[in-house]
Amino acid sequence: MKKTIALITGGFTGESVISLKSAAQIEQNLDASKFEVYKIIISFKSWYYEANGQVIEVDKNDFSLLIAGKKVLFDAVFVGLHGSPGEDGKLQGYFDMLNIPYTSCDALTSAISMNKGYTKAIVSDIPDLYVANSCQFFADKPENATIIEQSLKLPYFVKPNNGGSSIGMSKVNATAALPQALTAAFKEDTQVLVEEFIKGREFTIGVYLGKNGIQVLPTTEIISSKEFFDFEAKYTPGVSEEITPGRMTEEEKVRVEAVVRSVYNKLNCRGVVRIDYILEEGSGNFYFIEINTVPGQSENSIIPQQVRATGRSVQDFYTELLEVVL
């Protein structure tokens, strides 16, 4: 008997456009012989399902749909919504109260992992993991620039602490550009994180909970023609080169896989996450950048690339994610 799955997408942030692309690819790759899928769009104004030109509002009392007089309840939720409220724990808490399983980290882990500064503090004691020196700010004040100049070495990365897709993020090479970068970041979030630049090669790697426990996907090396892997580099074809599997020695591969398994465990992750890191030039040290608990799933996104690199189909991968939570 088919399981009834709600595929949630949309959201409250600028990442909603990416969420819709992810959901389109997920929907195409969910096994129709096993799952009856309803794509539900969540926005500030409404939560709805659309079919044949008809818009059907979700009953938030039990997260159900009423279609042709029949009530549709869901066996599980496939989370394809980046940013708030699908990646910051809000919807996860709602689904927990309704006892509906879902394919992502739980409410607490989602909320913590959305906050880059808090996440770094939690994982910083993992063996072989390093974090860049940083300052965290909770308001846009004139003295912030002075604190940064006294505490950190140029260049800096200035980023919204709870944002995604590198929206509002800047690389600062000179102190004169710092006030503008801080203002841009504070437009996206009430908290801002400023980190020292770590010179090295940038990678990202998928980790997920499968039928046989925690599994690590092949890593992807990011080579951007921009100064860093910003929104344009992430979503514009040809702006960056993504090499899967990434170029690492066997020692680096073994060490990286051990570190990301530890991160997954330490943060109590579920479903598939993507961990971004840098191997520092010269030392080869693993520098943690951030974790994405609802990574992109569009056709050219990194997780589908990594899944295909293992020889598996994306459909088979999604089936396993759902079967684990079911």
Side-chain angles (χ1 to χ4, degrees), residues 83-127:
S84 187
E87 198 169 1
D88 57 4
K90 293 183 176 71
L91 281 175
Q92 285 81 357
Y94 167 75
F95 292 133
D96 284 340
M97 289 190 292
L98 294 175
N99 199 30
I100 303 174
Y102 47 84
T103 61
S104 74
C105 299
D106 66 16
L108 179 60
T109 296
S110 297
I112 290 172
S113 299
M114 195 72 177
N115 188 301
K116 297 176 178 66
Y118 296 168
T119 304
K120 285 176 59 176
I122 291 171
V123 303
S124 60
D125 63 348
I126 290 175

Side-chain angles (χ1 to χ4, degrees), residues 30-107:
L30 288 176
D31 190 339
S33 69
K34 296 181 178 180
F35 308 115
E36 188 75 34
V37 181
Y38 294 80
K39 184 167 68 177
I40 292 175
I41 297 175
I42 292 176
S43 70
F44 273 122
K45 292 182 178 179
S46 64
W47 300 13
Y48 64 94
Y49 167 71
E50 187 174 1
N52 302 318
Q54 184 183 11
V55 174
I56 300 166
E57 291 286 333
V58 172
D59 183 345
K60 298 190 183 89
N61 291 300
D62 56 4
F63 195 65
S64 66
L65 296 170
L66 188 63
I67 300 176
K70 180 183 176 183
K71 189 169 194 171
V72 177
L73 294 167
F74 297 102
D75 297 301
V77 174
F78 198 115
V79 181
L81 196 160
H82 312 305
S84 187
E87 198 169 1
D88 57 4
K90 293 183 176 71
L91 281 175
Q92 285 81 357
Y94 167 75
F95 292 133
D96 284 340
M97 289 190 292
L98 294 175
N99 199 30
I100 303 174
Y102 47 84
T103 61
S104 74
C105 299
D106 66 16

Side-chain angles (χ1 to χ4, degrees), residues 134-151:
S134 63
C135 297
Q136 188 170 343
F137 299 99
F138 297 85
D140 191 7
K141 298 179 179 179
E143 59 264 33
N144 291 350
T146 302
I147 294 170
I148 293 165
E149 290 170 35
Q150 292 174 346
S151 306

